[in-house]
Amino acid sequence: MRRRSLLLAVPAGLLTLSACGDDKSDQDKDKVAESPSASPEPGASAKIVDGPLPAVTDGQKFGEKPTVAKGTGKPSTDLAVKTLIAGSGTTVAEGDYVRAHYLGQIWDTAKVFDNSYDRKQPLVIQLQQGGVIDGWRLGLVGKKTRSRVEMAVPPALGYGSEGRGDIKGTDTMVFVIDLEETFNGKSSAKGKEVPQDDTALPKVGTNTDGKAPSVTVPKGAAPKKLVAKYVLEGDGEEVQPTDRLLLQYKGVLWNGGKEFDSSYSRQQLAAFPLQQLIKGWQEGLAGKKVGSRVMLVVPPDKGYGDQASGEIPANSTLVFTLDILAKM
């Protein structure tokens, strides 16, 4: 079962269904995403120091599952952070979503309480106050992707004095984190351009500069059935119906081409469980590859039907461009 984050930012938009049941997978979550509060405990130090930190004794390359020694002596009451492997990628900023493999263990015992390497599935999480433990939020900002970072997180910047599960309120946690990628409101899909030869379908821009791609709707009649076409084809995993996705998107009306919703205009990525979206998205994105830009033409029966929704009139055919940035 894929573990996912507890707190995911879902910006205001028009795409979610009105009624959604509980997700049983909430019982199985990434430890680092289980932030007990929106801010550090009173009196918590946000000072960052370079040690002490236990040695990584095996699995020392980027992407390898590390083995980390037991901590010696008393850990710092400040956040200890060290870059073990310096990457040369994009600099991480607060508010970004990061994709990372990680291992977490207890300082005093070296007991591993969580790791993504065995799951073969990196974590995608937003470095936002209240959405991830403060040790990660503070310690990863300014690091570059393709870096390996080790940190020792004191209780006040982790789960506080109450602890969480097997992690006691007095435990300092040690993490080794491999930063694979970072995403923000200026991110784009980077797939291979696919010809758009059908003149009866909308044409979508292929720019990858983080700006909203153009969507040119033809003057003819809209298709009666759902259309899902690659604009840029990525090489990532195929989307499954149960996935939660990190996306950039823009939606326009077939009639007139008026934009009605866009993550680009908010400069904020969208994080959605696919099962909670309109049928056109559920059916059109399933099977598409992560890293792709997809053009969808959604007929009324796969969208909002005979009900108006915000700026969308009843019985509207909708056109979307969507960049599938990551699975969460």
Side-chain angles (χ1 to χ4, degrees):
M1 179 183 297
R2 176 177 288 113
R3 300 188 180 191
R4 61 178 179 81
S5 59
L6 173 63
L7 300 176
L8 291 166
V10 180
L14 301 172
L15 299 167
T16 54
L17 300 175
S18 59
C20 306
D22 293 336
D23 186 345
K24 291 182 179 179
S25 66
D26 281 345
Q27 298 171 7
D28 187 22
K29 306 179 184 76
D30 296 281
K31 296 287 188 182
V32 296
E34 298 176 355
S35 179
S37 63
S39 59
E41 286 198 336
S45 170
K47 180 181 178 182
I48 297 177
V49 296
D50 59 8
L53 285 162
V56 177
T57 59
D58 199 7
Q60 296 175 335
K61 295 180 180 179
F62 184 91
E64 291 183 342
K65 179 183 176 181
T67 300
V68 184
K70 177 181 174 181
T72 57
K74 289 186 177 180
S76 176
T77 57
D78 297 316
L79 176 63
V81 181
K82 183 178 181 181
T83 300
L84 302 179
I85 298 172
S88 58
T90 306
T91 301
V92 174
E94 185 164 359
D96 284 1
Y97 287 84
V98 295
R99 185 178 67 216
H101 271 298
Y102 69 96
L103 178 140
Q105 68 183 47
I106 304 300
W107 174 282
D108 288 334
T109 64
K111 180 180 178 180
V112 174
F113 56 80
D114 196 14
N115 90 88
S116 64
Y117 300 93
D118 289 346
R119 294 192 294 273
K120 302 185 186 304
Q121 182 66 44
L123 170 70
V124 177
I125 191 70
Q126 189 175 22
L127 300 182
Q128 176 177 268
Q129 193 172 51
V132 68
I133 60 171
D134 286 302
W136 274 50
R137 181 178 64 83
L138 299 170
L140 294 180
V141 167
K143 304 301 183 185
K144 292 183 180 293
T145 55
R146 309 305 296 176
S147 294
R148 167 167 282 194
V149 178
E150 185 180 14
M151 64 174 67
V153 180
L157 297 178
Y159 303 115
S161 58
E162 294 184 1
R164 182 65 56 93
D166 294 334
I167 303 168
K168 300 191 298 292
T170 55
D171 284 335
T172 289
M173 297 179 289
V174 177
F175 290 98
V176 174
I177 303 162
D178 287 333
L179 284 170
E180 292 188 347
E181 187 59 274
T182 186
F183 308 98
N184 56 40
K186 296 181 180 180
S187 295
S188 291
K190 304 292 185 182
K192 182 180 179 181
E193 189 171 335
V194 175
Q196 301 178 68
D197 298 330
D198 191 339
T199 58
L201 294 177
K203 188 170 183 179
V204 174
T206 57
N207 57 296
T208 58
D209 56 2
K211 296 179 181 179
S214 60
V215 179
T216 304
V217 181
K219 294 182 179 180
K224 299 298 183 182
K225 295 184 178 181
L226 175 69
V227 176
K229 299 285 188 181
Y230 282 119
V231 177
L232 303 172
E233 185 173 357
D235 58 2
E237 294 180 81
E238 291 187 357
V239 172
Q240 302 300 315
T242 55
D243 283 337
R244 180 181 291 257
L245 301 177
L246 186 64
L247 303 165
Q248 284 271 40
Y249 73 94
K250 176 174 133 179
V252 305
L253 301 175
W254 181 282
N255 291 332
K258 181 182 178 182
E259 180 181 310
F260 59 84
D261 195 15
S262 171
S263 63
Y264 298 94
S265 62
R266 292 188 293 272
Q267 296 187 334
Q268 185 178 9
L269 299 180
F272 288 128
L274 191 55
Q275 289 180 323
Q276 293 182 7
L277 303 180
I278 58 174
K279 288 182 180 179
W281 278 38
Q282 293 183 44
E283 297 175 13
L285 295 183
K288 294 295 188 285
K289 299 173 186 175
V290 173
S292 298
R293 176 170 298 165
V294 178
M295 186 277 294
L296 297 181
V297 179
V298 179
D301 65 318
K302 303 291 186 182
Y304 297 101
D306 59 3
Q307 300 294 316
S309 180
E311 298 182 55
I312 303 174
N315 298 307
S316 289
T317 295
L318 313 176
V319 181
F320 293 97
T321 172
L322 303 104
D323 283 13
I324 309 170
L325 300 176
K327 290 187 180 186
M328 298 192 70

